[in-house]
Structures are given as C-alpha cells and as structure tokens.
Amino acid sequence: MEDAFERLSELSEGEVRVLLNDLLKLTTASTKQGDGEHKALADSDRHLYSKHVERAAKAEQRKRTVHIMFSLSDAGSLKVTLSKLGKRMENEVLAFNDCFSTGPINELVKAEGQRSRESWLSERLSGYLFNHHMNHEHKIGRMIERIAAIAGQNSIVIWCGDNAHEQVGLRFVMHLLKGRENEIRMMNGSLFYRNSLADAQGSNRYYALRLLEPELFLKMVECFEQAELLSEFDRQRYEAEWLELAQQKSKLRLWENGQIKHAAENELDKRLMDVIGKLTEDTDDGFVKAGAVVGEIWGSCTQLIDYPFIEYRLWTLISDGYLAFRGLPGAMHQYAVKLNSGRILA
C-alpha cells in the first residue's frame, strides 16, 4: 500500500483526474448494483467525495482576491507571506512559468501562437521543454483559461517590477482582462522600493520582485489592498500597448528609460565577450567556467532575462567561432569558454 501512495504522488494532475474519474464510475456502479460490503464501501466513498467537493467550494467562496505573478518562485514567496499574515485562505495566487523578455510573443492568445513560441524556445534553450512539462498548470494556455475563470466579484492584483519580462506580462494579462468589470490593482516592486525608501538616486537595484529583501516584500504584501485601482485610461493604455508588442517580430526585449525596447537576438553578445575577457585576465589558460560568465552577466545587468537564453547566446558565439570551449556541453559547470584570438565581434 505504501508503494501505491508513492506512485500516486508521482502522477501528474491530468493523470490524477483520470484515476479519480475511473474510481467514481466504479463507485457509482457499486452503489447501484452492489450489495453488502461493496455497497457500503461505495456509499462511504461517495460521501467522502461529496465532503471534499463541498469543502473545496467553500474555500473558493472565501477567496476574494486573485494575485497574478510572472514567476513560480515569486508566487511561492507571496503564498508564504500571505500565510504569515493570516490571509492565505481568501487569496488565490496564479503564476506564469514563462520569461516574456525572450522568444516570440505573437498571437499568444491562440494555440498556434503558443506552439510557435514553445517551438522557438525549445530549439534554443536548454531544458525548456522539461521545465514546461513539469509545470503544466502554469503554461500560457492553461493560465489563459484560469484567468478567464476568475469570478466577476473577485479583485485582481498584478505583481511586477521595472523589467521587460514582467512589464510585457502585465500588458498581456491586461489584454486577457479586457472588458472585465473586476477591480484591478498593480503592485510594482521597483516603484514600491523607490517610494518607501525615498531613493534619491533613482536606483534600479530592485528591478525585479525576486530581488526585494523579505522585510520589504512583507511590507509590500501588507498594503496591497490599499493600492490604487487602475483607471480605465491605464487599463486601455496597457491593452493597446500589448497589441503593439504582439505585432513585433523581436525575440529579445529590454527595459530602458521606462519603456520596453525591442532588441536583436545578439544585443547582449558584446557584453558577453567583454565579461569573458575580464574574467579570463587572471587565468593561466584563458578559460573561464560558463556558469561564472552567466552569473556575472546576471549580477551586472539590470535586465530580467532567463539564464538559458544567455547560455544560448554563449553557444551561438562558440558556433560562430568567436569563442572556444572545453569540457562537456549540457551543464554550465561542466564546460569553460575563452575568447578566440583574432576574432573580434563587430
């Protein structure tokens, strides 16, 4: 029996639904046709199922606010913080598992556009398909369904920061919510930092939600209910900006001067080359671990770009002859790169 419980924990949500459906069919048949112990067991199963459905319905009724985020990690932090504040039961947290600063975003509302994006990313980014299939409930298509199912009486809070990924995501969600009468608030972590700490320097240190210290994030969560509602003008502006974004063919988007900038795929290549040159100054053979290169880019670049895209550009430079590598491809700690002498990136 213990083995059965272990196998159950390994099933996907879809597989669990199929299993539950089969069990309910069997229970219904036993209730109608069974006798003695079989009928008693079937009746007990039906009663247990009814109690779970009733409990789930009551839990849904208690949820007054739906939070939409663009990171599974950020969503986890929000859930933990809401629990600490005793507000977890009345708040639902939805999260995308996509990086909207990279890859095509055309026709994302349609299945064809989603397949096109998935195909482009899976061909270039290491581990993309595995990560996406492991988090099926957070894929774009499923998230569109879940957002469409938000009840009209629920208020909605969209969480973001000053980066292209979350700002593109914000506009996409506003497009999905077009015409809805729900109250919508926006919680911008970058803006919250500047307003809370009166940052006179205009620092972009907190360009993403995940960079906020726990204490600052807690303060932000404590006051989300007091955040100003998005005006009809702002809602329409975000919706219109999404339509403009979705028409562009760019595969990389950056955040500059408060705007989303469309960039060429090779926009970061020069920076990658410079970082490698800097890191290899103190090496004997000119090689530096790929992970160190990506880590340095992440630490010095105030842009939210997923590291598989950066690694993809690293391998493009290797393929084009600008970099040499040694080691085992597949994991960044297993191989190193160095500049190829005589090859200068224009």
Side-chain angles (χ1 to χ4, degrees):
M1 195 65 182
E2 290 182 3
D3 184 51
F5 280 114
E6 290 181 5
R7 292 184 178 180
L8 180 62
S9 66
E10 296 173 356
L11 295 179
S12 67
E13 182 174 334
E15 291 169 330
V16 170
R17 287 177 178 172
V18 171
L19 175 61
L20 179 58
N21 184 64
D22 290 342
L23 288 174
L24 286 174
K25 288 180 179 178
L26 181 61
T27 298
T28 302
S30 296
T31 300
K32 294 178 179 179
Q33 304 170 8
D35 53 13
E37 293 183 0
H38 287 92
K39 188 175 187 305
L41 179 60
D43 288 340
S44 177
D45 288 343
R46 285 171 61 85
H47 179 66
L48 180 63
Y49 174 75
S50 297
K51 284 181 64 178
H52 275 289
V53 170
E54 183 181 352
R55 190 180 300 122
K58 288 181 178 179
E60 283 298 317
Q61 291 174 359
R62 285 198 298 270
K63 292 175 180 175
R64 301 195 306 267
T65 304
V66 178
H67 303 264
I68 300 176
M69 310 191 82
F70 304 102
S71 160
L72 300 189
S73 175
D74 290 344
S77 298
L78 179 58
K79 290 176 183 178
V80 170
T81 305
L82 287 169
S83 296
K84 289 181 179 178
L85 297 173
K87 297 181 178 181
R88 180 69 184 92
M89 296 304 295
E90 61 263 32
N91 289 273
E92 182 178 9
V93 181
L94 305 180
F96 285 88
N97 185 36
D98 259 89
C99 185
F100 291 112
S101 58
T102 58
I105 57 173
N106 314 96
E107 301 289 348
L108 275 193
V109 177
K110 300 179 181 179
E112 182 180 351
Q114 295 162 28
R115 286 194 296 269
S116 176
R117 173 178 171 80
E118 187 173 294
S119 175
W120 192 92
L121 292 170
S122 63
E123 290 174 2
R124 292 162 176 80
L125 308 192
S126 174
Y128 175 80
L129 278 181
F130 175 79
N131 182 43
H132 254 49
H133 288 310
M134 285 292 290
N135 296 285
H136 175 77
E137 284 298 299
H138 303 278
K139 294 175 66 173
I140 292 174
R142 180 63 180 130
M143 285 295 295
I144 291 175
E145 295 174 358
R146 297 178 75 179
I147 290 173
I150 296 174
Q153 71 270 19
N154 292 135
S155 61
I156 298 172
V157 181
I158 305 174
W159 297 72
C160 62
D162 286 351
N163 59 78
H165 159 53
E166 291 168 338
Q167 290 294 327
V168 171
L170 165 67
R171 286 152 177 79
F172 179 45
V173 170
M174 292 306 301
H175 173 70
L176 297 177
L177 293 171
K178 182 178 181 179
R180 299 288 296 269
E181 295 182 358
N182 304 72
E183 294 182 344
I184 303 176
R185 294 175 170 83
M186 178 182 66
M187 293 298 288
N188 184 317
S190 306
L191 182 61
F192 184 81
Y193 163 74
R194 290 194 293 271
N195 290 342
S196 298
L197 302 185
D199 183 9
Q201 303 301 317
S203 170
N204 198 28
R205 176 183 175 188
Y206 296 105
Y207 61 88
L209 280 172
R210 66 190 64 176
L211 298 176
L212 294 174
E213 283 92 355
E215 296 79 10
L216 191 57
F217 186 70
L218 174 62
K219 291 180 180 179
M220 189 175 176
V221 177
E222 285 177 331
C223 66
F224 77 82
E225 293 173 311
Q226 286 75 51
E228 186 177 351
L229 293 173
L230 285 178
S231 67
E232 188 62 27
F233 174 81
D234 285 332
R235 291 174 65 154
Q236 292 179 359
R237 175 170 63 86
Y238 287 133
E239 292 165 12
E241 288 178 1
W242 166 255
L243 295 178
E244 293 179 7
L245 287 169
Q247 291 176 357
Q248 301 296 323
K249 303 299 183 182
S250 62
K251 306 301 188 295
L252 175 64
R253 287 160 288 278
L254 305 174
W255 183 255
E256 291 186 0
N257 301 319
Q259 300 289 329
I260 298 169
K261 171 192 171 184
H262 297 278
E265 282 183 50
N266 62 0
E267 178 84 10
L268 301 176
D269 289 5
K270 179 64 165 59
R271 177 169 245 170
L272 272 171
M273 298 279 282
D274 291 342
V275 165
I276 293 170
K278 173 186 173 184
L279 293 177
T280 56
E281 288 178 356
D282 298 325
T283 63
D284 296 329
D285 55 8
F287 279 97
V288 61
K289 288 289 186 181
V293 177
V294 175
E296 179 67 20
I297 289 288
W298 263 32
S300 62
C301 177
T302 56
Q303 299 286 343
L304 191 51
I305 301 169
D306 51 348
Y307 75 84
F309 182 85
I310 300 175
E311 188 183 18
Y312 154 60
R313 294 312 308 170
L314 207 58
W315 278 104
T316 301
L317 290 170
I318 292 171
S319 299
D320 291 344
Y322 291 101
L323 300 176
F325 90 97
R326 70 180 183 193
L328 300 174
M332 287 186 287
H333 67 278
Q334 292 182 320
Y335 68 93
V337 295
K338 77 170 183 177
L339 300 176
N340 261 339
S341 58
R343 294 302 306 272
I344 301 175
L345 195 64

